[in-house]
Amino acid sequence: MTEMKKKQAQQSADQSVNEYVEPIEHDDRYILEVSRLKTYYPIKGGLLQKTVGYVRAVDGVSFRIKRGTTMGLVGESGCGKTTVGRTILRLTEKTSGQVLFNGKDIYGLGRKELRSLRPKMQIIFQDPYSSLSPRLPIGEIIGEAVREHEIVPGNEYRQYLDQIMENCGLQPYHKDRYPHEFSGGQRQRIYIARALALNPDFVVCDEPVSALDVSIQAQIINLLMDLQQKYSLTYLFISHDLSVVEHISDTIGVMYLGDIVEFGSKTDLFARPLHPYTRALFSAIPVPDPTVRMNRIVLEGSIPSPADPPSGCKFHTRCAQRMDICSRVAPEWRETEPGHYVACHLYDEQS
């Protein structure tokens, strides 16, 4: 990258960082509302380690999740799915945009207010073994935050802990064991119990079954669905496994290079995928029938760098249906049918 290009990239990124975002008009039907969320990571260069550009991990994402439902977030590795989840919970700081949880601006809360809200927003990580302390027994891992946030009175603590563990398929005698004594599926149950113990309203599930065997995946997915019904939970389910997302989700957002390119109900997306990228993803879903001939769509090239994304539509460098306008103008959101949105110039005439 030349010095001129570096300056242009920095100026462009700085303008995006400092843009004004209109406040969201809160709707009580939605527990989470995200507007034009951006998360950029600075690129340092030169002897003085100045910022010469940004990695645009999340680049203007907007969506809403209704209470008691599950939104699936899918896309290739590196598209920004996990960063979205972490930014929503303030585990990673945003660059710009707005996040409302129950009508409260997460990034407008003070330290004390945020701490009191933490139990209501939890996360289940992809690899439970690396996120569980090997030095603590399971009972302490699950119950530590329960005591810290005073979820239940002290005299009810042990009974509460036993009930949470039982609800997640664990036995009370497991409390004295350590993480290395459990299988992968059991460790994921432990982390689910840890999140559930804080009595949350909203849970980010960050690829919670991708490291598990297929038979264990089904058990964990069914457990999450049962717990959702029992406790009226709302999920943001992040995954690259479309068959799992189809099973658990009510709505689905498809991400590509930091943007959501298509959003709609599970039924609409799987019946009528509109964006060329969504069609390519869905064509890769394996069908357990050797007599069915797969019409696989193979994408051209590789994913561009999020530090230097293409102009216009970010997908145009790999799209077989690209037009001249695609390389120059970023597509706008179009509602092609009620609740089904797509960002693609193929549908401009329908607006």
Side-chain angles (χ1 to χ4, degrees), residues 163-171 174 186 189 193 223 227:
Q163 184 62 53
I164 290 295
M165 293 179 67
E166 185 179 335
N167 289 343
C168 295
L170 300 167
Q171 299 301 319
H174 286 150
Q186 287 176 316
R189 289 176 184 271
L223 172 63
L227 293 173

Side-chain angles (χ1 to χ4, degrees), residues 179-197:
H180 72 272
E181 300 180 67
F182 295 88
S183 66
Q186 287 176 316
R187 285 196 287 262
Q188 197 60 281
R189 289 176 184 271
I190 292 166
Y191 210 96
I192 292 172
R194 182 185 184 183
L196 192 66

Side-chain angles (χ1 to χ4, degrees), residues 49 190 226:
Q49 288 296 291
I190 292 166
D226 290 342

Side-chain angles (χ1 to χ4, degrees), residues 102-336:
N102 281 329
K104 294 183 179 180
D105 186 349
I106 296 298
Y107 284 86
L109 298 177
R111 195 171 181 178
K112 188 175 181 180
E113 293 175 304
L114 183 61
R115 186 181 184 278
S116 66
L117 190 66
R118 283 290 187 199
K120 295 300 180 182
M121 305 175 70
Q122 291 296 302
I123 185 169
I124 301 170
F125 291 106
Q126 178 177 357
D127 182 5
Y129 190 63
S130 64
S131 55
L132 297 174
S133 173
R135 298 175 181 272
L136 295 178
I138 297 310
E140 186 65 22
I141 288 174
I142 297 174
E144 183 180 21
V146 175
R147 286 198 303 268
E148 180 68 23
H149 290 278
E150 300 178 348
I151 302 299
V152 293
N155 60 340
E156 299 178 14
Y157 171 76
R158 296 183 67 84
Q159 182 180 356
Y160 179 77
L161 204 61
D162 290 346
Q163 184 62 53
I164 290 295
M165 293 179 67
E166 185 179 335
N167 289 343
C168 295
L170 300 167
Q171 299 301 319
Y173 63 80
H174 286 150
K175 284 188 290 189
D176 298 325
R177 297 184 180 180
Y178 289 81
H180 72 272
E181 300 180 67
F182 295 88
S183 66
Q186 287 176 316
R187 285 196 287 262
Q188 197 60 281
R189 289 176 184 271
I190 292 166
Y191 210 96
I192 292 172
R194 182 185 184 183
L196 192 66
L198 293 174
N199 193 25
D201 294 327
F202 173 69
V203 181
V204 174
C205 304
D206 186 11
E207 303 204 32
V209 297
S210 63
L212 305 177
D213 294 336
V214 174
S215 59
I216 306 300
Q217 285 184 8
Q219 294 177 22
I220 298 300
I221 292 299
N222 289 333
L223 172 63
L224 289 171
M225 295 176 72
D226 290 342
L227 293 173
Q228 183 176 40
Q229 291 294 322
K230 187 170 185 177
Y231 293 100
S232 300
L233 297 172
T234 304
Y235 293 144
L236 173 62
F237 193 89
I238 299 168
S239 181
H240 61 268
D241 190 332
L242 291 165
S243 58
V244 171
V245 171
E246 182 181 16
H247 184 64
I248 195 173
S249 300
D250 298 293
T251 56
I252 298 174
V254 181
M255 279 196 75
Y256 181 79
L257 208 63
D259 292 333
I260 291 183
V261 297
E262 187 168 357
F263 179 88
S265 69
K266 170 181 66 178
T267 304
D268 288 344
L269 247 70
F270 276 86
R272 296 175 298 281
L274 301 177
H275 199 281
Y277 178 64
T278 309
R279 293 174 187 163
L281 284 183
F282 286 10
S283 75
I285 302 175
V287 177
D289 185 348
T291 62
V292 176
R293 183 176 177 82
M294 299 293 295
N295 185 23
R296 178 70 190 276
I297 301 173
V298 180
L299 296 177
E300 303 174 4
S302 57
I303 304 176
S305 169
D308 187 23
S311 59
C313 174
K314 293 181 181 179
F315 186 63
H316 83 266
T317 58
R318 306 175 70 193
C319 182
Q321 297 176 270
R322 59 181 174 266
M323 301 175 287
D324 291 339
I325 192 175
C326 298
S327 61
R328 295 182 284 103
V329 180
E332 297 180 0
W333 273 104
R334 309 287 181 189
E335 187 175 15
T336 58

Side-chain angles (χ1 to χ4, degrees), residues 48-69:
L48 300 178
Q49 288 296 291
K50 291 184 178 180
T51 300
V52 296
Y54 293 91
V55 174
R56 304 184 180 201
V58 179
D59 198 15
V61 165
S62 300
F63 60 85
R64 299 190 293 184
I65 307 178
K66 284 186 177 180
R67 300 177 189 278
T69 67

